[in-house]
Amino acid sequence: LNYENEREVGEGVRASPVDRADVSVTTKLPGRHHGFDATLRSFEESLPGLGLDYVDLYLIHWPLPAVDKYVDSWRAMIRLREEGVVREGLVTSIAETHGVTPSQVVLRWHLQLGAVPIPKSADELRQRENLDVFRFELSDAEVEAISTLESGRLWDADPETPEEF
């Protein structure tokens, strides 16, 4: 929405001879639309603007901790994924390859990068799943592919400082 190019992106995807399944389309949630209902409304504007049935990745543009609505936005994004209008293709594909969940892939990715992820869950099954990340290993190519999803701004930006609002 912020870049006002969703219509053009959608037109390009539809006009391209490349199959839609082979094109990864990403859009972002603007900071001014944080919150559960606002996230859903924002996406409902984006998808028709793109003229597509789904997007492959829906990002929170900036977490804006001072506003403290990013968790609600995340929950809305989970709903959109469950509805099939947002599809996290790469991580899901890697998870299917290893017979694990996407969450386990992301936790394993953190471990293989040398980070210490601290997942939180009150659900016993999810806790067990979070601990079960040592029975498989991601290939170097898989780690690199997941790492390319990050655009470079994460490593030197302060999420406490709003970039846009």
Side-chain angles (χ1 to χ4, degrees), residues 93-108:
S93 174
I94 292 171
E96 290 170 357
T97 298
H98 291 279
V100 298
T101 67
S103 298
Q104 288 173 303
V105 167
V106 173
L107 289 172
R108 184 67 202 185

Side-chain angles (χ1 to χ4, degrees), residues 9 39 41 44 50-51 79 90 107 120 123 127 132 139:
V9 168
T39 297
R41 281 193 305 275
E44 288 170 3
L50 287 162
R79 175 185 282 179
L90 175 66
L107 289 172
K120 178 192 175 294
D123 181 86
Q127 290 171 353
D132 188 23
S139 70

Side-chain angles (χ1 to χ4, degrees), residues 76-89:
M77 291 176 157
I78 291 170
R79 175 185 282 179
L80 293 167
R81 184 198 65 204
E82 289 169 349
E83 292 174 0
V85 292
V86 176
R87 303 177 185 176
E88 301 184 23

Side-chain angles (χ1 to χ4, degrees), residues 29 33-40 57-63 68-82 86 88 91 102-103 106 120 126:
L29 172 71
H33 294 169
H34 276 226
F36 188 87
D37 292 333
T39 297
L40 295 176
L57 184 62
Y58 190 37
L59 300 173
I60 295 176
H61 184 260
W62 203 252
D68 197 27
K69 293 183 180 178
Y70 55 93
V71 172
D72 291 331
S73 294
W74 183 253
R75 287 187 181 121
M77 291 176 157
I78 291 170
R79 175 185 282 179
L80 293 167
R81 184 198 65 204
E82 289 169 349
V86 176
E88 301 184 23
V91 174
S103 298
V106 173
K120 178 192 175 294
R126 183 68 50 84

Side-chain angles (χ1 to χ4, degrees), residues 7-27:
R7 184 177 55 80
E8 291 82 1
V9 168
E11 287 174 2
V13 169
R14 288 188 309 278
S16 171
V18 178
D19 187 80
R20 168 63 180 100
D22 295 329
V23 177
S24 182
V25 177
T26 301
T27 194

